[in-house]
Amino acid sequence: MDEDSDQEHLIEDDYYTFLNIPRNATQDEINNAYRRQSKLYHPDKHVDPVLKKEAEVLFNRTKAAYKVLSNPHQRAIYDSVGVHGLQTEGWQIVERTKTPQEIREEYEYLAKEAEERKLMRLTNPTTSITMDINAADLFNRYEKDYEDSRDILSCIEVSGMSFTQSIEAPLTLQDIVTMYGQLSTKNGIGSGSINLAAKRLLSSKGWIEVDVGAGSGPTISLKAFRLLPYKLMCHGAAILEFTPVEIKANLLGTLTMQLDTHTMGELTYNAGSDSSMSTAIVRNTPRTRASFSIHLGVLRSFISLNYTYKMQEKEMKLRGSVKAGTFGLIVEYGAEKRISRHSRISATVSAGVPTGVTLKIKLLRSFQTYAFPIHLSDEVLPATVFYATVVPLVTWVAVKKVVIDPMVRKREERKKEKEKEVNKSRMMEKQKEAESAIQLMKATVSRIRATEESKKGLIISKALYGRFVYPQQDQYNSDQQSIRRDEVIDVTIPLQCLVKDSKLILYDASKSELPGFYDPCVGDEKQLLIQYLFRSQTHECIVKDNAPLRIPLPSHRVNTT
């Protein structure tokens, strides 16, 4: 297990960045990059024995990168799993006569099969706990004479609870058995059920499932799913429920169609004691998710509109919805925030007539869900809505500041220390290799610089790479200011060596893999600062580690007046 953990943190060579070419580079671009670096690092180009030996190391690395990227089969494997995939004996099963696309497809198949084998060893337990809390008396006290004698806790009661648990047991790659059960109590009345479902994957386009259960009476259901032509999906279910009074039968059918890349249309029909029909349109993009549905039923009918805005950079979602029908009107708004790799928390305010105001708090942790619906009032009162909105925000800010942020910082520090420990010897080798590369570049850089100066082209006057600490970043962490410091390296020569025809182009990958570069602060965010002259004008820019760069640009010009 420790070896697997170390493998996760181990930094691998990036052949594309080492040759300074894009990941979709053509064969001609690969050849040109190889020829350019071969002239720079070929041992025969250097007379000094020390430089010759250092050049041999870099030349061998150049040849290794070219050998992989110029071979379509090896490049396909490298693109899929990296250097580790090329060294794995299991890849010997891949026939070299196969096309690169077939290799990628086979890798995806093997990865999927490995994941399925992993699932077979797990039971995938899923747990959901819901606690209904009634706090209406906080805002709606009938007897003023008793207000002074009652405390806050006496106004809050747990009106109901429910517990759901499921265990999944894959028997084969096609057969899955799931056992799940549910217990609930509401106002002193309890109920429960237990079910056993067996699913059979018929093909990649469909499955069938038989579900039997017992609760207030035996139930049996048959479910099926099938992919159809013309981007259609069909899901159906037949359910029989035996109660002491009657036998209930329901037929449920759903037809889903993909209207375009981001939009799905859905039509559902339910035939039974509560017959209904509904239609919905869902549009899901990387930034937003919107849905509109109409439901027509014997017991109730309604229309609903839902909208979600995804703030990916902050790992947060803002939600809002409106539902109106024969039961009344409900308006909901809320937010969901990711607090760790496997945990999310959400808070939603629901205000409606005649339901009143409810605050719903939910914590999702891996396969576990904890929900706390808090009923605040039977009527829509301004004070209730205000407190339902403000209190969660204030609580979240306080908890984040006191508990979550310190915990995240400690976790990030542990991760950085792990990466530094695992890559310690490798980084020392990379640093020595970068210093050797700079020595080998000096003669070439002098020629490039002289050429650029003669035509007033691109001259790199100063370039720094690493972690920059700005005063404004630490204005709230004065206790750490003495500890934090710049960790940067001078990369003026390596960047000048990459200048061609008064242009410098870097691609969207970590700059630490460029010749003459290394990572001075493993695990930290890095930036690249460049000061350069172009047409005798001073320019300056700073870019993030993985951001692409193309200079010169007029927007980088510094106003020297």
Side-chain angles (χ1 to χ4, degrees):
M1 184 158 182
D2 291 339
E3 293 181 1
D4 293 340
S5 179
D6 290 350
Q7 190 67 36
E8 284 183 12
H9 293 89
L10 188 63
I11 300 174
E12 287 192 341
D13 290 334
D14 187 337
Y15 292 153
Y16 290 100
T17 304
F18 183 72
L19 296 178
N20 195 30
I21 54 177
R23 299 194 72 84
N24 59 349
T26 62
Q27 188 61 47
D28 288 339
E29 290 175 318
I30 296 173
N31 293 338
N32 292 335
Y34 172 69
R35 282 195 293 267
R36 180 173 178 171
Q37 289 202 182
S38 294
K39 292 178 182 178
L40 188 63
Y41 301 130
H42 199 288
D44 295 342
K45 297 286 185 180
H46 305 276
V47 179
D48 186 279
V50 176
L51 291 179
K52 183 184 284 289
K53 186 175 181 180
E54 293 174 347
E56 187 175 353
V57 174
L58 289 163
F59 182 63
N60 289 336
R61 188 178 173 194
T62 302
K63 287 196 300 183
Y66 176 74
K67 180 181 177 181
V68 172
L69 299 185
S70 62
N71 185 312
H73 298 85
Q74 291 190 18
R75 183 179 179 181
I77 297 173
Y78 174 74
D79 288 346
S80 298
V81 289
V83 177
H84 181 69
L86 296 167
Q87 300 169 347
T88 302
E89 294 181 0
W91 277 104
Q92 294 176 358
I93 65 173
V94 178
E95 298 179 8
R96 298 301 173 181
T97 56
K98 290 186 175 182
T99 66
Q101 181 60 30
E102 289 175 330
I103 292 177
R104 289 187 175 93
E105 291 175 354
E106 183 156 353
Y107 161 72
E108 292 174 358
Y109 169 78
L110 292 174
K112 182 179 178 181
E113 191 177 58
E115 184 65 22
E116 288 175 341
R117 286 197 299 269
K118 182 179 178 181
L119 288 174
M120 288 178 63
R121 297 192 296 266
L122 303 175
T123 56
N124 297 326
T126 302
T127 304
S128 176
I129 299 175
T130 302
M131 181 183 293
D132 296 303
I133 301 173
N134 189 344
D137 286 348
L138 285 174
F139 300 93
N140 187 19
R141 297 181 179 179
Y142 295 99
E143 299 293 336
K144 294 184 179 180
D145 296 338
Y146 294 98
E147 287 186 5
D148 296 334
S149 62
R150 300 179 66 189
D151 56 21
I152 294 178
L153 293 179
S154 63
C155 298
I156 301 174
E157 66 170 339
V158 178
S159 59
M161 288 190 66
S162 66
F163 175 84
T164 303
Q165 174 80 44
S166 70
I167 299 176
E168 184 179 284
L171 302 180
T172 66
L173 294 179
Q174 289 80 32
D175 300 303
I176 302 172
V177 174
T178 304
M179 178 180 290
Y180 60 96
Q182 181 260 343
L183 290 173
S184 64
T185 176
K186 186 75 172 178
N187 296 324
I189 301 175
S191 64
S193 64
I194 185 169
N195 292 69
L196 182 66
K199 178 186 286 187
R200 171 78 176 181
L201 301 177
L202 302 177
S203 68
S204 60
K205 294 184 178 181
W207 52 261
I208 189 171
E209 180 180 283
V210 177
D211 191 324
V212 295
S216 57
T219 61
I220 183 170
S221 64
L222 179 65
K223 304 175 184 177
F225 172 82
R226 178 70 180 177
L227 286 174
L228 303 174
Y230 306 106
K231 299 180 180 180
L232 289 172
M233 292 171 282
C234 181
H235 185 281
I239 305 170
L240 281 177
E241 182 179 357
F242 300 88
T243 67
V245 180
E246 59 179 343
I247 299 177
K248 297 181 179 180
N250 282 326
L251 290 175
L252 181 67
T254 301
L255 186 64
T256 305
M257 181 177 184
Q258 185 172 350
L259 303 178
D260 61 35
T261 305
H262 301 290
T263 308
M264 303 287 287
E266 186 178 279
L267 180 65
T268 302
Y269 181 74
N270 183 7
S273 57
D274 183 13
S275 296
S276 63
M277 183 176 69
S278 63
T279 182
I281 296 178
V282 181
R283 181 168 178 79
N284 194 0
T285 68
R287 277 289 180 184
T288 62
R289 186 184 188 278
S291 65
F292 175 76
S293 63
I294 300 175
H295 180 92
L296 301 175
V298 174
L299 299 181
R300 65 174 187 167
S301 300
F302 61 87
I303 60 173
S304 67
L305 177 64
N306 299 273
Y307 183 81
T308 301
Y309 181 70
K310 307 171 186 177
M311 305 170 68
Q312 296 178 351
E313 62 281 357
K314 295 183 178 181
E315 297 184 321
M316 187 174 180
K317 296 178 182 178
L318 301 178
R319 295 193 177 100
S321 67
V322 178
K323 183 184 291 186
T326 55
F327 58 85
L329 174 67
I330 297 177
V331 177
E332 292 187 349
Y333 58 90
E336 179 183 295
K337 172 70 176 176
R338 181 182 292 276
I339 56 178
S340 68
R341 181 178 179 183
H342 301 289
S343 301
R344 304 190 307 275
I345 189 171
S346 67
T348 304
V349 178
S350 175
V353 179
T355 55
V357 180
T358 301
L359 173 62
K360 304 174 183 177
I361 298 175
K362 184 181 291 185
L363 174 65
L364 298 96
R365 169 75 178 171
S366 188
F367 296 107
Q368 299 174 337
T369 302
Y370 303 92
F372 303 92
I374 306 173
H375 185 65
L376 299 176
S377 66
D378 297 323
E379 299 177 358
V380 180
L381 304 174
T384 309
V385 176
F386 175 79
Y387 284 112
T389 304
V390 173
V391 171
L393 287 175
V394 174
T395 304
W396 164 251
V397 171
V399 171
K400 184 176 184 297
K401 189 74 175 177
V402 176
V403 180
I404 297 178
D405 285 349
M407 184 174 63
V408 170
R409 281 197 296 268
K410 288 182 180 179
R411 185 171 64 245
E412 290 298 324
E413 288 299 323
R414 286 196 299 268
K415 181 180 177 183
K416 291 176 186 177
E417 291 301 320
K418 181 67 175 179
E419 288 184 357
K420 289 179 181 178
E421 184 65 28
V422 172
N423 293 282
K424 184 176 180 180
S425 59
R426 177 173 172 77
M427 286 301 104
M428 293 179 63
E429 294 175 3
K430 296 283 286 184
Q431 181 177 355
K432 184 178 179 181
E433 181 184 293
E435 293 170 352
S436 301
I438 290 174
Q439 293 297 321
L440 297 169
M441 290 176 183
K442 286 184 176 179
T444 302
V445 166
S446 298
R447 291 195 298 269
I448 294 175
R449 192 180 182 92
T451 302
E452 294 296 325
E453 287 178 345
S454 65
K455 60 182 180 181
K456 295 184 177 180
L458 179 59
I459 302 170
I460 309 296
S461 54
K462 182 180 180 181
L464 299 175
Y465 173 71
R467 185 186 70 179
F468 299 90
V469 179
Y470 302 100
Q472 59 267 29
Q473 288 182 340
D474 288 325
Q475 60 182 341
Y476 300 111
N477 299 294
S478 57
D479 56 326
Q480 295 184 5
Q481 264 189 328
S482 59
I483 301 175
R484 293 179 61 85
R485 58 183 177 81
D486 287 350
E487 294 182 356
V488 299
I489 57 174
D490 191 321
V491 291
T492 306
I493 292 176
L495 286 187
Q496 186 70 67
C497 192
L498 293 173
V499 172
K500 183 179 180 182
D501 298 329
S502 299
K503 294 179 182 178
L504 173 62
I505 301 175
L506 303 179
Y507 299 97
D508 51 347
S510 176
K511 311 298 184 292
S512 62
E513 288 295 314
L514 287 167
F517 283 63
Y518 68 92
D519 194 338
C521 46
V522 177
D524 287 318
E525 291 186 3
K526 291 167 282 291
Q527 295 171 307
L528 176 62
L529 169 68
I530 305 177
Q531 295 175 354
Y532 62 94
L533 295 174
F534 181 68
R535 294 179 182 174
S536 302
Q537 297 264 346
T538 302
H539 295 67
E540 182 177 297
C541 68
I542 186 166
V543 295
K544 293 183 178 180
D545 187 23
N546 290 287
L549 173 68
R550 185 184 183 94
I551 58 174
L553 285 178
S555 59
H556 296 162
R557 189 180 298 129
V558 177
N559 188 357
T560 56
T561 59

